[in-house]
Amino acid sequence: MAPVGGTAVQDHVALAEIELCGELIIAASAARERLSLESIDEVLCVAEERSRAQ
């Protein structure tokens, strides 16, 4: 329940994690087989993050 007064607290990290979990669920439900580690990395854009960090 939201606090009285309308001050909603948003945890941006938690919201991002929820979005990523949703993307994984969608990808897994569309796949015919288990997702490979490479497929999971692709869904989570891990390679893009690694290239930006370097």
Side-chain angles (χ1 to χ4, degrees), residues 21-35 43:
C21 287
E23 294 296 327
L24 280 175
I25 292 168
I26 292 167
S29 65
R32 294 180 184 223
E33 298 177 358
R34 290 179 68 154
L35 293 176
V43 170

Side-chain angles (χ1 to χ4, degrees), residues 6-25:
T7 56
V9 176
Q10 290 189 1
D11 184 342
H12 297 286
V13 173
L15 291 174
E17 289 178 0
I18 292 167
E19 184 176 344
L20 290 174
C21 287
E23 294 296 327
L24 280 175
I25 292 168

